[in-house]
């Protein structure tokens, strides 16, 4: 069986996903694309030699008879309408983060999905598919370091474009830690405070960079997370879990250990696309496999909602400097199921 997929948004990650579904993964076929930039949509169909129709807009694509499932890779503010439209016609939808740009929008999606009684929505939080994070989660769940007490983590980008706004440090960048840490710890957040060290001279005028995010979880775990988007030296993701009897670190990406010119060195990646390339492949292969079985294995609309509520609190904390409570309703029974172990591609 082959899943007939329509893609809304043929920009950077949309093209990446089209290429991986077409050339690397199995079980999926791109049969439809759309983008407000029609030339760009046409170009990917031609360069990838797709047997795919170019639709005028996302809603037409979603309703098309030959589209069985949808991938939303358009700009964040458009996600809510497309995900709701996919739910309305009962079609599975993989939505890149964010699920919606407001918690209210995410809640609408949660309510609409529950009303159908069918699991339809997966959100593109790919770090849950990273082999390093999965190994770290296995160590925590094995009890080898005792109960987790503290997490130290860092999300460092070498630079960001001029269009990068202060809020994007949370809604576009830190959002990955917000999702992966609650999955890693099987916990939820109760409060957040954000403090700022002196600003790097390498940051644009309007950015406060770096930032330190202090999160507390329901189980009393304390997380201190650095967000540094102009670190210059590379794309560096760190995560250290301090437990009662030991410490577990997120593995570094594999790299040749070079001895030359009286130096011992390893490479540091500079692009997030390279750091998580395998995670995107595993994530989308799992989505195709699960969708063909009528399941959602990955991050759900509820996870998208929790991320939105948490990032809203982070934005408030960033502005006020205060400790901001994070209050969440109980997770609906509809979303209470264990993540099925990711099948190897
Ligand atoms: N999971 C991850 O690690 C990543 C997720 N993303 C997310 O993916 C989304 C897209 O990001 P990029 O590809 O970097 O942006 P991009 O700007 O390169 O591509 C977005 C595309 O969507 C199109 N578009 C915008 N509104 C549209 C509409 N109403 N209908 C059809 N097409 C529309 C634009 O013309 C553009 O081609 C964002 O939400 C971003 O947060 C992006 C990069 C990494
Ligand atoms: O969504 C993304 C990318 O996935 C990177 O992981 C982040 O570092 C980047 O800031 C954000 O745009």
């Amino acid at each position: 069986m082959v899943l007939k997929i329509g893609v809304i948004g043929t920009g950077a990650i949309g093209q990446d996903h089209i290429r991986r579904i077409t050339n690397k993964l199995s079980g999926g076929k791109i049969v439809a694309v759309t983008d407000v930039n029609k030339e760009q949509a046409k170009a990917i169909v031609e360069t990838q030699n797709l047997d795919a129709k170019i639709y005028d807009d996302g809603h037409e694509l979603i309703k098309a008879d030959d589209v069985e499932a949808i991938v939303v890779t358009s700009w964040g503010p458009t996600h809510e309408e497309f995900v709701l439209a996919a739910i309305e016609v009962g079609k599975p939808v993989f939505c890149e983060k964010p699920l919606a740009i407001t918690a209210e929008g995410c809640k609408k999606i949660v309510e609409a999905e529950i009303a159908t009684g069918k699991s339809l929505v997966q959100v593109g939080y790919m770090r849950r598919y990273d082999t390093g994070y999965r190994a770290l989660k296995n160590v925590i769940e094995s009890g080898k370091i005792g109960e987790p007490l503290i997490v130290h983590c860092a999300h460092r980008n070498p630079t960001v474009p001029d269009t990068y706004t202060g809020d994007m440090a949370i809604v576009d960048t830190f959002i990955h830690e917000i999702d992966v840490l609650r999955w890693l710890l099987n916990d939820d957040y109760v409060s957040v405070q954000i403090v700022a060290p002196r600003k790097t001279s390498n940051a644009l005028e309007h950015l406060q960079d770096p930032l330190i995010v202090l999160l507390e979880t329901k189980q009393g775990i304390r997380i201190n997370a650095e967000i540094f988007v102009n670190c210059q030296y590379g794309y560096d993701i760190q995560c250290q879990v301090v437990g009662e009897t030991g410490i577990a670190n997120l593995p570094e990406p594999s790299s040749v250990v070079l001895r030359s010119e009286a130096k011992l060195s390893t490479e540091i990646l500079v692009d997030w696309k390279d750091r998580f390339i395998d995670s995107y492949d595993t994530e989308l292969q799992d989505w195709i496999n699960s969708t063909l079985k009528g399941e959602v294995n990955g991050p759900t609309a509820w996870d998208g909602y929790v991320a939105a509520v948490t990032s809203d609190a982070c934005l408030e904390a960033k502005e006020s400097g205060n400790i901001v409570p994070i209050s969440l309703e109980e997770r609906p029974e509809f979303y209470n199921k264990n993540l099925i172990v990711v099948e190897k591609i």
Side-chain angles (χ1 to χ4, degrees), residues 7-15 17 34-38 40-41 56-59 72-79 81-82 94-98 124-127 171-172 175-176 235 272-273 276 280 283:
V7 179
I8 304 175
T10 57
I13 200 157
Q15 290 174 35
H17 288 345
T34 187
D35 195 295
V36 288
N37 178 338
K38 288 292 173 289
Q40 188 182 249
D56 263 353
D57 70 46
H59 294 283
V72 177
T73 43
S74 47
W75 292 323
T78 68
H79 293 185
E81 68 173 283
F82 292 138
F94 175 92
C95 181
E96 266 303 345
K97 54 83 173 171
Y125 292 117
M126 78 291 170
R127 291 203 189 171
V171 301
D172 200 59
I175 198 81
H176 288 290
Y235 183 75
W272 48 263
K273 288 190 224 28
F276 291 109
Y280 294 116
E283 169 189 50

Side-chain angles (χ1 to χ4, degrees), residues 24 134 164 189 207 245 317:
K24 199 185 264 188
R134 299 188 76 81
Y164 191 91
Y189 306 119
L207 286 186
T245 59

Side-chain angles (χ1 to χ4, degrees), residues 53 94 110 149 160 178 207 210 213 225 229 272-273 315 326:
K53 184 176 173 187
F94 175 92
V110 163
L149 307 172
V160 288
I178 288 175
L207 286 186
V213 183
V229 295
W272 48 263
K273 288 190 224 28
L315 291 177
I326 301 169

Side-chain angles (χ1 to χ4, degrees), residues 257-260 262-266:
V257 178
L258 192 59
R259 280 177 163 78
S260 73
K263 281 201 233 30
L264 182 61
S265 63
T266 57

